[in-house]
Amino acid sequence: MTFQTYDPPGANPQDIRDRVERLRATFSALDIEGVLVPHEDAYQSEYLPPSEERLAFITGFTGSAGRAVILEEKALFVTDGRYTLQAASQVPEDVFDVVSKDEDADQWLKSHLGDARIGYDPNLHARSRLEALAKTVPDVTLVALESHPVDGTWTDRPAPTVGMVRAHGTERSGRTVAEKLADVRASFDADGLFIGAADTVSWLFNWRGSDIAHTPLVLCRAFIPKEGPVTVFVDPHKLPNEFQEALEGLADIEPTSAYPAALTRLSQNRTILADPAAASEAALKAIEEGGSLKTGKDPAARLKSIKNEAEIEGMRAAHQRDGLAMVRLLAWLDANAVGQTEIAVCERLENLRREMGAMDVSFDTIAGAGPNGAIVHYRVDRNSNRTIASGDPVLIDSGGQYEDGTTDITRTIVAGDPSDEFKVQFTRVLKGHIAIARQHFPAGTTGAALDSFARSALWSAGFDYQHGTGHGVGAALAVHEGPPGISKRSSAALEPGMIVSNEPGYYRQGAYGIRIENLVLVRPPEVPPGGDTPMLSFETITLAPIDTRLVVPSMMSPGELAWLDLYHARVLGALGAELEPQTRDWLEATCRPIGG
């Protein structure tokens, strides 16, 4: 069985039109004039099991970020800059007004909602999103529904996924469940904490699952009192008997069906902390019905993002093996790219990762040749599958899930000779990548403060990219992990042990895409030579060469060239001895210094 499938998106425009009309036919009985359709499920997840893909069903959009508002005669679809091109190709514009900027969405809402009664499923919406809508359109009436009306029109809805829980032992997690619980309890000032994010609960209990493709989490929630057993809401059929026995005294298991009524009972006469951006409106209302709600950031999410030494060593080991798979792919492409298809590239990389012990990919591989590379989150299918031609740039963004770590890497190559214009843009992107990799910064610095360093070379020439520069990455968990990141919106302070991606890019619509991505580990503070203030820094843990044939050396500073040469020396030293002779020879030539 392959990790990734290549089935074309199932909905054609007429299917979408029919589904929207069936949905609108439910409005009268519900006494509403429109409905909100979020991408998220009841766990506020980014990646979803097939049974929760309501937004894809009703709009045709298969990306991981979007939302819709469907009124009786008009409809809005909103995504972000990563998915502008994908939304334009998947969402029928005779049904939806498609926008990718928040200010455009706000203007649409102000123009069309007025004082309408708009239905929503409180299980699927974070309170912060609902409050933002009410602030944008103060006269709107939001009507809580018992279930989402899309579900009643989705006649062939897939059955929910039931994946068994497996242990993620302390040799990989670095800390026992009891130790983590003690850390979490010490981190909040309330009578209890509700955690609605499934990846955080999976981290806390040192278990992994298969409820969602490519993300080894268990769909579950947790209530943590200051003292006494934790309550975990999870399907008990997923837990082998030995897991339930191991939790004796630490946690009680409640079936998912008991939530949220049990949450109300557990909150009685207590003040409960919950994150309004990570917990559903249904969860917050359940707490308020029983006790007092205290809103704030989930402290357990921050603790999860700070990797301990066992997790860091596991991530390094996973990147070592993943680097070998990537080098073998890049060496093969260097000799064989022309005439290969995008799917062939994905399949070869998947097989190479399997040989290195990967259990899964960490997301569907992006292999975009020529103009497909300009689609930031392109997913190849059998209809879009492009054959690589001579001179085509090829953007490959991929990752693996290993027992001990999660990887995410992007490399851009050219099948043949690159144009001078392409090399200039590639070099600008590389300069931004190196700026982040070399950056020192004081404690308390957020990703928002660093984001512009990655864009400077592009900005100075009049270019930009419409996505964040980096996201947090879990340790053998979710490839997108909050709270850390590097973007204009990243408000979390970067701390030692956090791992984030470093991935500036540039995209020329209809022509090509460029992205260079490594994962970087935040290192403890040290005083730089000649300085007087301790500074945090990044250690690049991804190991794979960057094609220096695409670089214009005269555009690079001596420091940038030195970083690139030192990085390549480290890649060669880490991987060369484990490669077969022909691939090792290729890597030696590829890693040859260019700095003089």
Side-chain angles (χ1 to χ4, degrees):
M1 181 178 176
T2 60
F3 294 148
Q4 179 173 344
T5 61
Y6 306 97
D7 297 330
N12 61 51
Q14 189 55 49
D15 289 336
I16 299 302
R17 296 182 192 102
D18 293 342
R19 293 169 184 176
V20 169
E21 288 309 309
R22 292 202 302 273
L23 179 64
R24 284 170 168 156
T26 69
F27 290 177
S28 177
L30 296 170
D31 191 23
I32 58 176
E33 297 161 86
V35 68
L36 307 180
V37 187
H39 172 267
E40 292 77 17
D41 64 357
Y43 297 88
Q44 299 300 293
S45 304
E46 177 183 13
Y47 298 112
L48 307 176
S51 60
E52 299 300 311
E53 291 278 10
R54 295 175 184 83
L55 188 67
F57 173 80
I58 204 68
T59 69
F61 176 74
T62 59
S64 64
R67 63 188 190 275
V69 182
I70 300 174
L71 306 179
E72 292 171 325
E73 295 185 358
K74 297 285 291 185
L76 170 70
F77 177 83
V78 186
T79 186
D80 60 37
R82 297 172 297 167
Y83 290 111
T84 302
L85 297 180
Q86 181 175 336
S89 67
Q90 291 185 325
V91 180
E93 293 190 346
D94 62 327
V95 180
F96 294 89
D97 294 327
V98 180
V99 302
S100 57
K101 294 181 179 179
D102 287 342
E103 53 267 33
D104 293 337
D106 288 349
Q107 186 57 51
W108 192 98
L109 295 170
K110 292 174 183 177
S111 299
H112 293 90
L113 261 58
D115 59 356
R117 292 174 56 81
I118 304 298
Y120 72 97
D121 183 343
N123 292 292
L124 307 180
H125 287 272
R127 177 169 292 181
S128 57
R129 179 73 75 182
L130 297 171
E131 289 176 341
L133 175 59
K135 183 177 180 180
T136 301
V137 191
D139 292 333
V140 73
T141 299
L142 294 175
V143 181
L145 305 174
E146 291 187 5
S147 62
H148 203 286
V150 163
D151 298 352
T153 67
W154 193 353
T155 55
D156 57 348
R157 184 181 178 190
T161 304
V162 181
M164 294 302 292
V165 174
R166 67 177 189 274
H168 190 69
T170 52
E171 73 280 3
R172 295 192 176 97
S173 68
R175 292 179 70 74
T176 66
V177 176
E179 290 171 331
K180 290 182 178 181
L181 277 172
D183 292 343
V184 171
R185 282 179 162 133
S187 71
F188 66 86
D189 181 19
D191 298 322
L193 169 69
F194 174 72
I195 304 176
D199 65 328
T200 303
V201 182
S202 298
W203 163 82
L204 178 61
F205 284 93
N206 287 342
W207 60 30
R208 300 294 186 265
S210 56
D211 290 337
I212 297 176
H214 315 324
T215 305
L217 54 75
V218 181
L219 290 177
C220 53
R221 307 174 179 89
F223 175 86
I224 303 175
K226 267 293 189 181
E227 296 179 357
V230 174
T231 299
V232 184
F233 298 97
V234 64
D235 183 345
H237 296 100
K238 299 176 182 178
L239 286 175
N241 290 335
E242 59 266 26
F243 277 81
Q244 301 195 40
E245 293 168 2
L247 292 175
E248 191 74 32
L250 284 177
D252 297 326
I253 302 300
E254 290 271 10
T256 305
S257 59
Y259 164 89
L263 182 57
T264 297
R265 170 175 51 81
L266 292 165
S267 302
Q268 287 291 331
N269 302 316
R270 287 169 159 172
T271 298
I272 307 303
L273 174 63
D275 189 339
S280 70
E281 173 69 4
L284 301 190
K285 281 187 174 296
I287 293 170
E288 290 170 331
E289 288 173 6
S292 177
L293 173 67
K294 178 180 180 179
T295 59
K297 297 290 186 182
D298 180 356
R302 171 184 164 272
L303 293 173
K304 167 177 56 68
S305 70
I306 300 172
K307 279 64 177 176
N308 58 47
E309 283 305 314
E311 292 171 317
I312 291 170
E313 288 308 308
M315 290 290 276
R316 287 193 179 117
H319 280 81
Q320 174 85 13
R321 296 192 299 278
D322 203 68
L324 293 168
M326 281 300 303
V327 166
R328 289 174 174 131
L329 176 81
L330 293 170
W332 173 76
L333 280 172
D334 202 34
N336 300 286
V338 175
Q340 300 295 333
T341 66
E342 294 166 338
I343 289 178
V345 173
C346 294
E347 290 178 334
R348 189 172 187 93
L349 181 53
E350 179 178 313
N351 290 333
L352 290 167
R353 283 199 165 105
R354 282 180 185 272
E355 292 171 6
M356 299 312 302
M359 304 171 63
D360 199 346
V361 292
S362 55
F363 56 94
D364 285 336
T365 296
I366 298 167
N372 288 343
I375 304 171
V376 178
H377 275 204
Y378 171 69
R379 179 187 177 278
V380 60
D381 59 54
R382 285 188 292 272
N383 290 343
S384 70
N385 188 24
R386 181 181 171 90
T387 298
I388 300 170
S390 180
D392 268 355
V394 186
L395 186 154
I396 306 165
D397 186 348
S398 67
Q401 289 286 7
Y402 299 84
E403 284 279 10
D404 48 3
T406 301
T407 70
D408 185 2
I409 175 175
T410 308
R411 289 296 182 265
T412 305
I413 65 166
V414 174
D417 296 325
S419 67
D420 291 342
E421 181 267 341
F422 182 90
K423 292 171 65 174
V424 167
Q425 293 298 76
F426 185 93
T427 305
R428 287 176 176 139
V429 172
L430 178 59
K431 286 170 72 70
H433 178 94
I434 294 173
I436 295 296
R438 297 174 65 201
Q439 192 61 47
H440 291 76
F441 48 96
T445 299
T446 67
L450 299 182
D451 184 73
S452 60
F453 289 95
R455 301 175 190 269
S456 179
L458 288 163
W459 280 357
S460 64
F463 303 102
D464 200 3
Y465 51 94
Q466 300 303 313
H467 58 78
T469 298
H471 55 83
V473 179
L477 205 51
V479 73
H480 288 172
E481 175 183 86
I486 303 175
S487 76
K488 299 168 186 176
R489 298 181 178 180
S490 296
S491 60
L494 295 169
E495 300 182 58
M498 290 179 170
I499 293 175
V500 296
S501 65
N502 172 13
E503 50 179 310
Y506 174 70
Y507 311 91
R508 178 153 292 177
Q509 185 173 349
Y512 61 79
I514 299 168
R515 189 158 63 248
I516 303 169
E517 178 186 17
N518 288 337
L519 300 191
V520 294
L521 167 70
V522 182
R523 298 302 300 158
E526 294 181 351
V527 178
D532 60 12
T533 303
M535 294 283 170
L536 302 173
S537 61
F538 290 123
E539 172 195 338
T540 297
I541 61 174
T542 301
L543 297 168
I546 297 166
D547 194 340
T548 56
R549 293 169 296 187
L550 308 182
V551 177
V552 182
S554 63
M555 294 176 61
M556 306 272 283
S557 71
E560 291 167 340
L561 290 170
W563 181 91
L564 186 59
D565 287 345
L566 286 170
Y567 175 68
H568 279 147
R570 187 158 70 87
V571 169
L572 180 59
L575 304 180
E578 298 187 54
L579 293 167
E580 52 283 354
Q582 185 176 355
T583 308
R584 183 172 62 247
D585 290 345
W586 177 88
L587 183 61
E588 288 176 352
T590 300
C591 291
R592 188 174 295 121
I594 66 169

